[in-house]
Structure formats: structure tokens, C-alpha cells
Amino acid sequence: MEALVADARKMILNGSSLIDLIDFLRSVESFKLTPLNFMRVLNEAVGIRMMESRRLVSMFDAEMEPIMAEAVVELRWRSTVDSHSLNDGPTSM
């Protein structure tokens, strides 16, 4: 899980889209992509609190497929990422 979190952190810090991040997580065989696991990765990777990541997850179905337009998803993603000091790392959930 540590390597996965480190890779996710690099992607986020490099400006990856949320859809690309989810696609990456989905591709990792040892990781089960669920809304809760996704929220955990965001918290451990860059310190996005669970309540904030829940707003992101609300734009996806249970299989983490978007249920809103990609432009809306990315706008909320950028807003969430931009509102954080991403060098802080994990926070309490």
C-alpha cells in the first residue's frame, strides 16, 4: 500500500486529473478500488480529509465510474487539490 500511496501522491502533485488517478488505482491488481479505499488513498497521499474526499466520491457510482460530466468532476477535483497544502501528507480522518 505504501508504494501505491507514493505513486498516487506523485500523480496528484504532478497535476493528474481525477479520472486518470482513478484509472491508475483501478489498474493496480493488489488494490481493490472502492469509494472508502479511494478516500483512504487521498488522505494518506496528500492529506485530503475524509469529509472532503466524500464530496469527490459523491460524483461516482459504487464502482467508481463517474455519474457527472467529466468537466464537473475535474473542476471539483482541482478545487479540492488547490485548497490544500499538499506537502502536509496524511491527516486525521
Side-chain angles (χ1 to χ4, degrees):
M1 180 81 166
E2 286 180 33
L4 173 88
V5 169
D7 289 343
R9 178 177 174 79
K10 286 178 195 169
M11 289 182 73
I12 295 166
L13 293 177
N14 288 328
S16 177
S17 73
L18 182 56
I19 301 298
D20 287 346
L21 177 61
I22 288 171
D23 287 344
F24 162 72
L25 294 173
R26 185 177 281 119
S27 75
V28 177
E29 288 186 29
S30 63
F31 180 74
K32 178 156 177 63
L33 180 61
T34 66
L36 186 59
N37 284 342
F38 175 71
M39 292 165 56
R40 180 178 172 203
V41 167
L42 291 182
N43 182 261
E44 290 184 19
V46 292
I48 296 175
R49 295 181 185 270
M50 296 296 250
M51 287 186 66
E52 294 169 285
S53 62
R54 177 66 188 109
R55 288 182 353 151
L56 296 170
V57 167
S58 71
M59 298 184 294
F60 295 84
D61 64 17
E63 287 77 38
M64 294 299 293
E65 294 293 338
I67 57 174
M68 299 182 86
E70 188 172 329
V72 174
V73 171
E74 292 307 322
L75 184 63
R76 187 172 293 171
W77 170 241
R78 292 276 35 111
S79 175
T80 301
V81 169
D82 292 346
S83 70
H84 282 80
S85 172
L86 296 182
N87 296 320
D88 292 344
T91 63
S92 61
M93 295 181 210

